[in-house]
Amino acid sequence: MAIRAVIFDMDGLLIDSEPIWEEVGKAVLASYGQVLTHEQYLTTTGLRTREWLEHWFNYFSIDEGLLPAAERQIIMGVINAIGIKGKAMPGVGHILDYFSSKGLPIGLATSSPLAMAYKVVQLLGIHPYFKVLTSAEHLPYGKPHPQVYLDCAEKLGIMPADILCFEDSVNGMVAAKAAKMKCVVVPAFAQRQWPAWGLADLRISSLQNFNDLLFYQLDK
């Protein structure tokens, strides 16, 4: 099927926020006397904040009654930190200009709260590129469940099979593929050799590297 729209993930793909999420998340867990390693953190990227906390609270046997306060602490901490030191990932301007020049509608499908998505696109000056912003914040399930991608497709008015997605996490990639969309992954350097990326339609090292040759390979 022809590509008629594009959907982007946000954290770690458009904005260099994964180090911020990791820093804030680790600090919150440390406040409960627990130490999270970088390797452990990588296994849960792409999850919603509540799901991320539920996973690690269960792992470290932390009282789940403390979850709501911890969730608020993380979200506010990340929003504040993004406002101070958030920066675009390499190639963001290139990729948005590329698809905009082709006249393709562009959407965003994130696990982060919608308020954070608006803050990010405004901070990076990329809000005009997006026709639709969607969040899994209040959905019954987040990524790797496909619902946030299906919701974005519905709001774009495009069939899922005609949409190309860009992701940087395994959970996000699984969500996109479960929605029957094509998916390009841009893994972090330390994750590029993970076997799981074999599910993707294409793997690239940077958004800056996407070009006509790759587009026409996918547009079949």
Side-chain angles (χ1 to χ4, degrees):
M1 302 294 288
I3 295 171
R4 299 178 53 220
V6 186
I7 300 176
F8 290 90
D9 174 48
M10 184 178 75
D11 291 294
L13 183 76
L14 299 181
I15 188 166
D16 189 15
S17 55
E18 284 300 342
I20 295 174
W21 281 102
E22 181 174 1
E23 177 184 349
V24 174
K26 284 181 175 179
V28 169
L29 290 177
S31 72
Y32 298 110
Q34 305 299 331
V35 176
L36 186 71
T37 69
H38 177 64
E39 288 71 25
Q40 287 174 317
Y41 176 81
L42 292 179
T43 65
T44 49
T45 56
L47 296 181
R48 294 180 293 187
T49 307
R50 175 57 69 98
E51 292 164 336
W52 188 90
L53 282 167
E54 287 173 344
H55 176 88
W56 292 116
F57 268 45
N58 179 65
Y59 180 86
F60 290 118
S61 299
I62 302 172
D63 181 3
E64 290 191 0
L66 301 170
L67 266 168
E71 183 178 14
R72 290 193 297 270
Q73 190 178 353
I74 287 181
I75 290 174
M76 291 309 301
V78 171
I79 287 177
N80 290 336
I82 283 176
I84 296 170
K85 54 186 177 182
K87 60 180 181 179
M89 293 293 286
V92 169
H94 160 75
I95 200 74
L96 293 176
D97 281 337
Y98 178 85
F99 286 112
S100 180
S101 70
K102 290 187 175 298
L104 297 179
I106 300 173
L108 184 144
T110 180
S111 295
S112 292
L114 195 57
M116 189 177 297
Y118 279 109
K119 183 178 182 67
V120 166
V121 296
Q122 294 290 353
L123 176 70
L124 300 183
I126 58 176
H127 186 267
Y129 288 98
F130 290 92
K131 182 178 180 180
V132 171
L133 301 179
T134 56
S135 165
E137 178 182 11
H138 299 301
L139 295 178
Y141 302 100
K143 299 175 184 179
H145 194 281
Q147 191 61 55
V148 68
Y149 274 111
L150 295 173
D151 286 355
C152 195
E154 183 178 5
K155 291 181 179 180
L156 286 169
I158 305 294
M159 293 294 294
D162 296 332
I163 294 176
L164 175 65
C165 299
F166 284 77
E167 271 285 353
D168 72 300
S169 74
V170 171
N171 285 319
M173 172 190 67
V174 172
K177 295 302 296 180
K180 308 301 182 185
M181 301 176 182
K182 291 184 177 179
C183 184
V184 177
V185 293
V186 192
F189 179 79
Q191 303 174 24
R192 288 178 188 169
Q193 301 309 313
W194 284 6
W197 301 122
L199 182 63
D201 296 279
L202 175 68
R203 176 174 47 184
I204 56 178
S205 60
S206 170
L207 293 172
Q208 190 67 45
N209 296 339
F210 196 81
N211 54 35
D212 275 339
L213 178 62
L214 298 178
F215 177 78
Y216 293 122
Q217 287 177 355
L218 293 165
D219 190 27
K220 297 179 180 178

